[in-house]
Amino acid sequence: MHWITLSLASALFFAVISALDKILIQRYMPSFRVFIVLVGLCQFGLAIVAIPLAEFSGYSLNTTLISFGSGVLSGIYLAMMFWVMRTQDVSRVVPVTSTHTIFVAVLAMVFLQEFISTLAWIGIVITMIGAALMSLGPTMRESERDQNQLIPFALLLVASFAFGLSQFLSKVVAEDIDIWSLFMWRAVGMGLTLSGCLFRPRIMPDLIKTIRSPVPIGLTVLTEGVLVLGAVFLTLWAIYSGPVSLVVTVMAVRPLFVFILGIALSLGISRVLDEPLEGKILAAKLAAIVLTIGGVIAVSIN
């Protein structure tokens, strides 16, 4: 049952990527828009890597457009998530965006006539309660106390829906296109969407300055290039090695890994993430994560 190890490794990889994304946005980027553009450029790089493995025949133009559209929606998801992540803890952001599974399930029920059990509906309710508790729960940060937390929560839900719709579209065309072609067209769609920030005024000087800085560009390439490619490879390997419903269920522990990383990287002198470690806040986060993971598992095993 090595698919369990692969699934856990994939969840851990994506958790590390989320933590590094927060560090890059918070410490190394002149603005989150510059980071979004760099992530888009890395997606173009991943698309180039996939070209030798992809096929360019055997599927229709509609399949290509749906695959591309899936990437556009994933790009929207990332852009909105990064926008919220610039002011909120990564351990508060990831559990809310993990609710995309429920949107996939509902879309599959409506458009693909898939059955959703009573347990899955209970899981959907529990997931939403967990996500709300995570995003709207207690915080020590003055910046968050002064803000309306409903706005970032709503944005994260919209981002989660966009990612869920992206996953649904990928599922729709999965039988008509090989996995690497799907990966390539999705990457192109994500790259174009995220690179759209280039058209904002005054972003180009900051982008050029960041590209010329070894540490920011090196960490970005490592995170959004090498680690993302590795995480995708582990995910695909796990899916091909075991039952997809159980694979997705195991991968749902990603928010827990992010929670642990958030604590570890907020301890010591450097406090790289600097997340609040007050007992009341940690307890609320852990309770929210348990609810979110439990709900996602209930939906995944539907």
Side-chain angles (χ1 to χ4, degrees):
M1 297 179 67
H2 68 288
W3 60 267
I4 296 179
T5 303
L6 293 171
S7 301
L8 289 173
S10 171
L12 179 59
F13 260 61
F14 277 116
V16 171
I17 290 168
S18 297
L20 289 174
D21 285 343
K22 173 63 175 180
I23 293 170
L24 282 163
I25 293 172
Q26 183 174 283
R27 290 177 172 254
Y28 293 103
M29 295 293 151
S31 71
F32 79 97
R33 292 185 179 87
V34 170
F35 180 63
I36 288 174
V37 171
L38 288 175
V39 173
L41 295 177
C42 286
Q43 285 296 320
F44 286 130
L46 292 176
I48 292 172
V49 170
I51 287 176
L53 301 171
E55 299 178 3
F56 292 90
S57 62
Y59 50 88
S60 66
L61 176 61
N62 283 341
T63 298
T64 302
L65 292 175
I66 291 174
S67 302
F68 176 82
S70 174
V72 170
L73 288 166
S74 288
I76 293 172
Y77 150 75
L78 285 177
M80 297 183 74
M81 182 179 69
F82 292 149
W83 189 89
V84 176
M85 192 182 289
R86 69 192 171 96
T87 59
Q88 299 224 358
D89 298 330
V90 64
S91 61
R92 292 169 69 91
V93 171
V94 171
V96 182
T97 57
S98 297
T99 60
H100 70 271
T101 302
I102 69 175
F103 294 117
V104 175
V106 173
L107 287 167
M109 179 193 70
V110 174
F111 295 103
L112 300 180
Q113 287 75 53
E114 292 190 5
F115 174 73
I116 297 183
S117 66
T118 301
L119 175 62
W121 281 114
I122 294 173
I124 288 173
V125 174
I126 292 174
T127 299
M128 297 307 298
I129 292 173
L133 176 60
M134 176 58 74
S135 190
L136 306 176
T139 177
M140 287 172 52
R141 298 185 186 281
E142 292 293 338
S143 61
E144 293 180 16
R145 288 175 184 168
D146 298 335
Q147 294 175 1
N148 182 355
Q149 293 302 302
L150 286 174
I151 295 177
F153 176 59
L155 287 175
L156 288 176
L157 285 182
V158 172
S160 181
F161 174 76
F163 188 58
L165 183 55
S166 170
Q167 298 293 81
F168 172 76
L169 292 179
S170 295
K171 183 176 181 178
V172 168
V173 299
E175 295 183 359
D176 302 321
I177 188 172
D178 66 283
I179 190 67
W180 286 110
S181 294
L182 175 61
F183 175 84
M184 181 191 67
W185 289 117
R186 275 173 51 88
V188 172
M190 291 174 66
L192 287 174
T193 303
L194 296 172
S195 300
C197 286
L198 276 173
F199 296 101
R200 294 187 63 88
R202 301 185 60 182
I203 196 174
M204 188 59 72
D206 286 339
L207 178 63
I208 293 173
K209 181 180 178 180
T210 304
I211 291 175
R212 289 176 175 175
S213 303
V215 175
I217 193 63
L219 282 176
T220 301
V221 171
L222 172 65
T223 304
E224 303 302 327
V226 178
L227 292 182
V228 166
L229 185 61
V232 170
F233 176 76
L234 286 169
T235 301
L236 296 177
W237 192 2
I239 289 174
Y240 276 88
S241 301
V244 64
S245 59
L246 297 181
V247 168
V248 172
T249 299
V250 174
M251 289 180 183
V253 302
R254 175 188 172 191
L256 182 59
F257 286 144
V258 172
F259 176 70
I260 295 171
L261 282 171
I263 295 175
L265 295 176
S266 298
L267 295 171
I269 299 175
S270 63
R271 295 177 63 87
V272 180
L273 285 180
D274 196 25
E275 296 201 356
L277 301 177
E278 185 181 292
K280 179 175 67 173
I281 295 176
L282 292 180
K285 284 185 176 181
L286 185 58
I289 287 171
V290 170
L291 288 172
T292 303
I293 292 176
V296 169
I297 289 174
V299 174
S300 300
I301 62 177
N302 174 49

